Amino acid sequence: MLKSIEPYRKMLSHAIDAHPRLDFHPALVAQFHNVGRDTFLNHVSGVPFGGHPYPLPQDASLVQSLGLDRRAYITVHNSFSEVSGRPRTTRDYPFMDDVVKEVKVQLPDLPVVQVGVVGGTLSSADYNLSSKTTQPQITSVLANSSMHFDMEGGLVHIASCVGTPCGVVFGPTPIGYYAYPNNINIAPRVCGDCWSITEDWQKTCLLGAAEPPCMFTQPPKAVAHAALPQLRALLGEKITA
């Protein structure tokens, strides 16, 4: 294993020394080898990949108290853009409410649970659990969700650990590196993949645009309709199970 790692250590030493300023370089190397963030270390070390599931601690008390353990639902994480005193990040997708509204047009009886940090209450949400959950509780909420809608980030990684598929809107972070194969991964229509090229990439668009076009040109209907076929299939499986 160490012999397998050694040439990569030499290849990536400059990026390691400059972390996080050159983090995009290991990502490019990984994509060149047709692997992503989830399997790159296995590729480098020669250790077989054991799969995405991971036994994170869960607390189902909140799910049970809301009666969500007895019905299908979806979860959604809104952006940080409406948090007081916090600037919008370039990874924020500003139309998540419209995405969920379109899903509800097609599936009107499907409950929507908003999760994550406070990011402005979504009018489409039936339950708002933003900043109201512990780590084990949010893991349980995601584990019981039929599908999670989000931007690339921490909740998507948790969902992958518990086997919940996600509809993920990508922008600055590279879809070829961060995407999980079981998710609906929405690539930007303009630009994208500028992650870590500049030190303030999360705050300022590399093109100098007031609003990052990679996120603001992504139609919410396109996001919803990309995820709906898989969501319908999953709901059908739950109903017939």
Side-chain angles (χ1 to χ4, degrees):
M1 182 179 68
L2 294 175
K3 286 181 179 179
S4 178
I5 290 172
E6 186 177 4
Y8 285 93
R9 178 64 176 84
K10 293 178 179 178
M11 182 193 309
L12 302 175
S13 60
H14 66 290
I16 295 169
D17 293 340
H19 172 74
R21 293 180 178 84
L22 296 178
D23 281 4
F24 68 90
H25 184 235
L28 290 174
V29 172
Q31 292 174 83
F32 181 79
H33 288 283
N34 294 315
V35 293
R37 175 182 177 273
D38 51 344
T39 55
F40 186 39
L41 293 182
N42 299 90
H43 173 80
V44 167
S45 64
V47 176
F49 180 58
H52 294 107
Y54 189 82
L56 295 171
Q58 295 190 36
D59 176 0
S61 60
L62 185 58
V63 171
Q64 293 168 352
S65 68
L66 295 174
L68 294 173
D69 58 326
R70 300 187 298 274
R71 61 189 307 193
Y73 62 89
I74 61 173
T75 48
V76 57
H77 174 216
N78 196 20
S79 69
F80 304 122
S81 59
E82 295 181 45
V83 179
S84 177
R86 190 169 189 170
R88 184 196 301 275
T89 76
T90 54
R91 291 200 297 171
D92 281 343
Y93 182 60
F95 310 122
M96 197 60 77
D97 204 15
D98 294 324
V99 171
V100 178
K101 285 178 181 177
E102 182 62 25
V103 172
K104 294 189 80 168
V105 167
Q106 305 296 323
L107 301 167
D109 298 325
L110 185 65
V112 175
V113 181
Q114 184 177 347
V115 294
V117 299
V118 175
T121 301
L122 296 173
S123 62
S124 57
D126 300 291
Y127 303 87
N128 185 0
L129 302 182
S130 296
S131 298
K132 299 176 183 177
T133 55
T134 64
Q135 182 84 37
Q137 284 175 332
I138 189 60
T139 301
S140 182
V141 171
L142 289 172
N144 286 277
S145 173
S146 295
M147 182 172 285
H148 177 63
F149 288 83
D150 207 335
M151 299 136 287
E152 186 276 312
L155 293 182
V156 174
H157 302 312
I158 293 176
S160 179
C161 289
V162 296
T164 297
C166 303
V168 186
V169 182
F170 277 84
T173 48
I175 191 170
Y177 184 59
Y178 276 103
Y180 289 97
N182 63 319
N183 288 344
I184 306 298
N185 300 297
I186 314 295
R189 298 192 172 202
V190 178
C191 304
D193 289 3
C194 60
W195 169 60
S196 196
I197 291 179
T198 60
E199 289 193 24
D200 64 346
W201 67 272
Q202 294 198 67
K203 296 180 181 180
T204 305
C205 173
L206 188 65
L207 299 179
E211 306 291 3
C214 56
M215 300 306 261
F216 275 73
T217 59
Q218 188 64 258
K221 275 194 175 183
V223 176
H225 284 270
L228 275 166
Q230 183 173 336
L231 179 56
R232 284 195 176 100
L234 290 166
L235 292 173
E237 290 175 6
K238 285 197 173 186
I239 292 170
T240 56

